[in-house]
Amino acid sequence: MHPDLAALVGSRICHDLISPIGAIGNGIELLELTSGDTAPEMALINDSVHNANARIRLFRIAFGAVGEDQRVSSTEVQDILNAVARGGRHQFHWNISGDQPRHVVRLALLVLLCFETALPMGGEITATCTGDEWLFDAHAKRVTIDADLWACFGAEVSNHRYTAAQVQFALLPPALAAAARSLTFEASETRLTARF
């Protein structure tokens, strides 16, 4: 079965942006009702704007089209991940230096999105690169692997019915194949590692 990836990506983007945009609306409503100190409301609006902006930038790289010679700076990726992590359950450490090919950064961000699903209580996720090999290492109070989802990295064809929240699992295997790479992973109760 071939999922409607465009519809899933669209649903995922809408789902992830509705919360910060809703918070912006709530902050504006509170401002209208407040006389005096508006610092908490302005902080809510500011955080929500940064979160929505970061998610859009993350999705542009992870879900967007990729040109052959495009590169992404490590500073830009770390800025995006820092903004996504602000107020969230996941912390990201992008230990990658210099500009990287955009198609490889796309793979890495899709891996990080997969990792998020396996860390329901949050955790710390570190990305490093040695030579041409990328390594992802997550530590958390609890790691929960959905075997059907993660099986897509070893299966030639997956019959899993993906939801919008799982679209990264549908996008990553063909992206890895196009880059002539494969993903391997290991999981324990508190640690998840992967490499490509």
Side-chain angles (χ1 to χ4, degrees):
M1 179 185 73
H2 298 285
D4 184 348
L5 291 180
L8 290 176
V9 167
S11 295
R12 172 64 191 264
I13 291 169
C14 291
H15 176 272
D16 278 36
L17 293 182
I18 199 160
S19 179
I21 290 172
I24 292 166
N26 290 342
I28 291 171
E29 285 179 16
L30 289 171
L31 280 176
E32 291 172 349
L33 300 173
T34 303
S35 59
D37 181 20
T38 59
E41 291 81 6
M42 290 304 294
L44 173 66
I45 293 170
N46 190 45
D47 286 348
S48 299
V49 167
H50 284 296
N51 184 271
N53 185 293
R55 281 281 166 183
I56 289 170
R57 292 168 62 204
L58 176 103
F59 291 155
R60 183 174 57 88
I61 298 171
F63 299 156
V66 179
E68 281 186 34
D69 298 327
Q70 290 179 314
R71 298 183 74 80
V72 181
S73 76
S74 290
T75 303
E76 179 182 359
V77 177
Q78 187 64 65
D79 287 347
I80 291 169
L81 294 175
N82 287 345
V84 167
R86 188 180 301 147
R89 296 180 307 227
H90 301 94
Q91 297 299 312
F92 302 97
H93 306 285
W94 186 258
N95 295 342
I96 313 291
S97 59
D99 295 352
Q100 297 294 327
R102 183 171 173 154
H103 76 278
V104 179
V105 174
R106 177 180 191 237
L107 296 177
L109 293 180
L110 288 169
V111 169
L112 294 181
L113 290 171
C114 291
F115 269 47
E116 281 185 334
T117 68
L119 310 176
M121 299 173 66
E124 291 201 23
I125 307 168
T126 302
T128 56
C129 177
T130 304
D132 199 36
E133 183 180 63
W134 287 63
L135 174 67
F136 306 86
D137 190 14
H139 295 270
K141 290 182 180 176
R142 188 176 83 217
V143 172
T144 305
I145 294 291
D146 181 328
D148 289 340
L149 275 179
W150 288 80
C152 71
F153 301 118
E156 302 234 346
V157 176
S158 174
N159 291 320
H160 186 80
R161 297 180 75 95
Y162 296 100
T163 66
Q166 301 165 341
V167 72
Q168 61 273 18
F169 288 94
L171 294 170
L172 186 51
L176 286 163
R181 293 176 181 254
S182 59
L183 183 84
T184 59
F185 70 93
E186 294 180 9
S188 69
E189 289 183 8
T190 60
R191 188 174 183 193
L192 174 61
T193 61
R195 66 185 70 231
F196 64 68

